[in-house]
Amino acid sequence: MIIRDTNSGYGLVTRLTHWVMAVAVIGLFALGLWMVTLNYYSPWYVTAPDIHRSVGMLLLFLLALRFFWRLANPKPDDFELSPFERKASAVVHWGFYPLLLAIMLSGYLISTSGGRPIDVFGWFSVPALIENPGLETPAGKVHEMLSYLMIAVVVLHAAASLKHHFIDRSRILVRMWSGPPTN
Ligand code: HEM
Ligand code: HEM
């Protein structure tokens, strides 16, 4: 089992965190859109935002882990890509980090600017560091807009990976799923 990334492919940590994050982030987007339509009498009125905030905060730790893991590992070769594709994918891949960080921080501000900490599944709580109730509304707008932007980038990113797979017949998508060749 190859844990670290090599010049010829992605190790277990990158692949696992990539797909866990992809599923969780897309899930949070859908959950976010749904939960803001709930009314006070829905049994999910309290639970859905609790889950959204808890998963969101856990993802913040995962994002930090991924970022440092990327810096500490070699990047697999991308000679199958054209110079344009190489640049575009670097912008998208690195762009995900500040974009997701901004979504998470704005979500944190919506939840804590009233002074309440975030309880993460009852396991631990994240303190409210900036108490300023006026921030809730603008943070909510930013959170919503950046979430839509992020989903648009994800669609582009997924479409590019499918194009490499089905049209260019390259290993780009396969290597994010299965590890580097062991021989
Ligand atoms: C990648 C991570 C995240 C995504 C994709 C995401 C996405 C969304 C979306 C699409 C909405 C609905 C926005 C609307 O239509 O008004 C929403 C609402 C919300 N999110 Fe997130 N979110 C994420 C992380 C977080 C985090 C980390 C927190 C807090 C710790 C958080 C707290 C909230 C809150 C409190 C709302 C309700 C806002 C309102 O009442 O208008 N989110 N989120
Ligand atoms: C929220 C969702 C997603 C995020 C945040 C995300 C993020 C990323 C990042 C940061 C990388 C660079 C990996 C690295 O160098 O460490 C990457 C690579 C990759 N992603 Fe995603 N991704 C998402 C969803 C998807 C989806 C839905 C697909 C496919 C259907 C996909 C396919 C790939 C592939 C094939 C690579 C490898 C590209 C290469 O080797 O150059 N991703 N992704």
Side-chain angles (χ1 to χ4, degrees):
M1 185 71 64
I2 297 174
I3 304 291
R4 289 175 56 88
D5 301 338
T6 70
N7 288 331
S8 57
Y10 293 105
L12 188 66
V13 174
T14 297
R15 286 180 288 128
L16 205 62
T17 53
H18 175 270
W19 293 114
V20 167
M21 277 207 85
V23 169
V25 166
I26 295 167
L28 279 189
F29 179 73
L31 178 60
L33 291 185
W34 175 67
M35 75 190 192
V36 293
T37 66
L38 298 176
N39 70 31
Y40 185 76
Y41 299 101
S42 163
W44 291 98
Y45 185 73
V46 174
T47 321
D50 272 350
I51 296 173
H52 185 88
R53 287 188 291 263
S54 296
V55 174
M57 291 317 298
L58 292 178
L59 278 186
L60 179 59
F61 299 113
L62 200 58
L63 184 73
L65 171 80
R66 258 211 106 188
F67 180 69
F68 291 113
W69 188 256
R70 161 58 38 242
L71 295 182
N73 278 266
K75 173 97 179 84
D77 297 327
D78 51 10
F79 48 72
E80 290 178 275
L81 303 179
S82 70
F84 167 75
E85 288 172 330
R86 218 170 287 175
K87 281 208 189 78
S89 69
V91 169
V92 168
H93 292 171
W94 286 110
F96 271 129
Y97 293 96
L99 190 51
L100 285 169
L101 182 66
I103 293 174
M104 290 163 187
L105 292 183
S106 55
Y108 168 82
L109 287 178
I110 313 171
S111 316
T112 56
S113 56
R116 258 187 318 135
I118 296 174
D119 181 30
V120 178
F121 291 125
W123 299 336
F124 61 94
S125 95
V126 182
L129 297 175
I130 303 171
E131 201 178 325
N132 179 351
L135 275 180
E136 238 166 69
T137 310
K141 269 277 143 239
V142 169
H143 192 66
E144 184 185 2
M145 275 164 19
L146 292 183
S147 298
Y148 277 105
L149 174 64
M150 192 264 323
I151 282 297
V153 178
V154 169
V155 169
L156 187 77
H157 172 67
S161 82
L162 295 177
K163 181 242 178 209
H164 293 308
H165 187 72
F166 290 108
I167 299 177
D168 303 339
R169 308 230 169 244
S170 78
R171 284 197 76 250
I172 297 274
L173 181 58
V174 174
R175 76 178 183 181
M176 191 38 104
W177 188 257
S178 33
T182 42
N183 52 3

